């Protein structure tokens, strides 16, 4: 597994929703759960119920120390419970990974990037600047949006999100100040992430955009957000697509999600502009709830943290 290290950056129109157009009705699963059982007469390559064996063994794993609730046993089975969220580049499914005939299980959010022909690539170019493959053939394919190039881009989005979450999880473990889902594994263009929400009911935590917090709660959420953005800036990063629709609130904790488009604010020439857009999106939401901040001043402070003058 790749080692992830956090180092502060060197000093130096048309009917679409306001922030993004993901489907807000993201919990669409049925309330029943499929039991897992074994049939001794069945093909041992698959569980008898038709669910898949755990893919843990042939995936890239998240950072250590690993949370104790993560099920890593090779005898575990993944049971798909339904869809949590649809999006432009990926869909997120609710999965229960457990060991049959035991109470050992955990809920996961499986984020699956779509096949190239079913994805929207209109936003890719600005985010991918600064990211380069080693071989010029691959760079040309990505620039030309060939079928091969689109597959490379899909893989880059998944790998970038896994890398960012792994890095930020280690930061959170050591220093706090930012909360992200634990990245359990990466396999191709599928990410298995910690499920954020009510594990008993299988209900995902609400997005910030869905809440109507009190003034005290609003201030607490703003402080958490500024701490999180400062951590990102010190790592030389910007979320790149931040809005109240990709911030979850669970147990009074603000959780940053959806990081495939994370950008290096130094290497990517679009980085400062994307950071400014992130700040404008969230300050607009908070201003509508009575907490007004100058987005330009916030952006300048974060760019200074990133070492960008």
């Amino acid at each position: 597994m790749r080692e992830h290290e956090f180092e502060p950056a060197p000093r130096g129109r048309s009917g679409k929703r306001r922030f993004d157009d993901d489907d807000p009705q993201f919990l669409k699963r049925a309330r029943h759960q499929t039991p897992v059982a074994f049939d001794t007469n069945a093909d041992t390559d698959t569980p008898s119920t038709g669910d898949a064996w755990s893919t843990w063994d042939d995936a890239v794993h998240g950072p250590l120390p690993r949370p104790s609730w993560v099920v890593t046993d090779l005898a575990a089975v993944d049971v798909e419970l339904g869809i949590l969220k649809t999006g432009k580049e990926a869909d997120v499914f609710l999965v229960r990974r457990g060991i049959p005939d035991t109470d050992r299980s955990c809920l996961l959010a499986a984020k699956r990037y779509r096949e190239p022909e079913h994805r929207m690539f209109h936003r890719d170019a600005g985010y991918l600047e600064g990211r380069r493959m080693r071989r010029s053939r691959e760079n040309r394919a990505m620039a030309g949006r060939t079928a091969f190039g689109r597959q490379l881009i899909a893989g880059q989005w998944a790998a970038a999100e896994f890398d960012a979450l792994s890095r930020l999880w280690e930061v959170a473990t050591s220093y706090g100040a930012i909360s992200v889902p634990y990245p359990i594994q990466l396999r191709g263009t599928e990410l298995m992430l910690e499920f954020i929400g009510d594990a008993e009911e299988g209900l995902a935590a609400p997005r910030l955009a869905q809440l109507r917090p009190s003034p005290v709660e609003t201030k607490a959420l703003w402080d958490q957000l500024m701490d999180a953005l400062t951590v990102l800036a010190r790592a030389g990063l910007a979320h790149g697509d931040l809005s109240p629709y990709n911030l979850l609130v669970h147990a009074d904790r603000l959780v940053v999600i959806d990081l495939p488009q994370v950008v290096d604010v130094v290497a990517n020439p679009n980085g400062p502009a994307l950071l400014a857009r992130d700040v404008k999106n969230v300050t607009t939401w908070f201003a509508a709830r009575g907490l007004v901040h100058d987005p330009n001043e916030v952006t300048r402070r974060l760019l200074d943290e990133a070492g960008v003058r």
Side-chain angles (χ1 to χ4, degrees):
M1 184 192 76
R2 174 181 175 180
E3 294 294 330
H4 303 274
E5 298 181 355
F6 171 80
E7 298 179 355
R11 293 275 175 183
R13 344 199 233 266
S14 57
K16 290 190 176 180
R17 290 212 320 242
R18 186 170 189 174
F19 294 108
D20 76 341
D21 54 4
D22 286 354
D23 183 353
Q25 305 301 319
F26 53 89
L27 187 65
K28 301 179 179 178
R29 74 176 185 87
R31 284 305 187 92
H32 70 277
Q33 296 179 358
T34 306
V36 179
F38 285 102
D39 181 351
T40 56
N41 296 320
D43 182 353
T44 56
D45 288 338
T46 57
S48 62
T49 59
D51 297 294
W53 296 108
S54 166
T55 56
W56 173 262
D57 194 38
D58 62 345
V60 178
H61 302 152
L64 297 174
R66 189 174 301 125
S68 60
W69 52 263
V70 178
V71 175
T72 63
D73 305 65
L74 300 184
V77 172
D78 289 349
V79 180
E80 192 163 305
L81 302 176
I83 191 165
L84 287 170
K85 175 190 169 187
T86 61
K88 293 176 287 290
E89 285 84 22
D91 296 321
V92 183
F93 296 82
L94 184 64
V95 174
R96 182 176 296 280
R97 175 171 289 174
I99 304 170
D101 302 321
T102 75
D103 59 0
R104 174 84 169 131
S105 69
C106 61
L107 278 182
L108 314 176
K111 186 171 185 177
R112 297 167 186 163
Y113 283 85
R114 295 177 179 169
E115 294 300 318
E117 62 270 20
H118 299 304
R119 295 190 48 209
M120 297 174 65
F121 286 87
H122 64 283
R123 300 185 304 157
D124 284 353
Y127 294 115
L128 293 176
E129 288 194 50
R131 299 185 199 171
R132 292 291 182 267
M133 307 295 284
R134 291 185 178 181
R135 291 181 290 220
S136 60
R137 172 178 173 262
E138 294 173 343
N139 286 324
R140 289 196 302 271
M142 290 168 58
R145 297 302 192 268
T146 65
F148 173 57
R150 287 177 172 236
Q151 290 180 343
L152 290 174
I153 291 171
Q156 274 206 328
W157 282 68
E161 181 161 26
F162 181 78
D163 184 76
L165 287 170
S166 296
R167 187 177 181 187
L168 293 172
W169 174 266
E170 291 184 328
V171 173
T173 300
S174 300
Y175 305 107
I178 187 170
S179 294
V180 295
Y182 177 72
I184 295 163
Q185 67 179 58
L186 171 67
R187 185 171 180 262
T189 56
E190 180 188 71
L191 285 169
M192 288 286 199
L193 306 172
E194 174 187 3
F195 172 74
I196 305 296
D198 185 335
E200 292 294 324
E201 294 291 329
L203 296 176
R207 305 184 194 195
L208 179 62
Q210 296 175 290
L211 301 180
R212 297 294 179 266
S214 69
V216 172
E217 292 168 335
T218 300
K219 177 61 165 58
L221 291 169
W222 170 261
D223 290 342
Q224 290 185 56
L225 178 59
M226 288 301 100
D227 287 343
L229 290 179
T230 299
V231 167
L232 282 167
R234 288 176 180 171
L237 303 175
H239 185 285
D241 196 27
L242 189 64
S243 82
Y245 289 95
N246 45 37
L247 294 166
L248 302 182
V249 180
H250 180 58
D252 299 322
R253 178 172 55 107
L254 192 71
V255 183
V256 182
I257 62 168
D258 290 341
L259 287 155
Q261 69 295 309
V262 65
V263 293
D264 187 318
V265 294
V266 177
N268 188 323
N270 301 301
L274 290 170
L275 174 60
R277 190 182 66 182
D278 284 351
V279 171
K280 181 178 179 181
N281 284 347
V282 293
T283 53
T284 297
W285 188 87
F286 279 93
R289 284 146 188 85
L291 199 62
V292 178
H293 291 272
D294 179 359
N296 295 324
E297 191 279 328
V298 174
T299 299
R300 283 193 296 270
R301 179 162 56 84
L302 292 173
L303 288 174
D304 183 63
E305 293 283 359
V308 177
R309 298 292 187 268

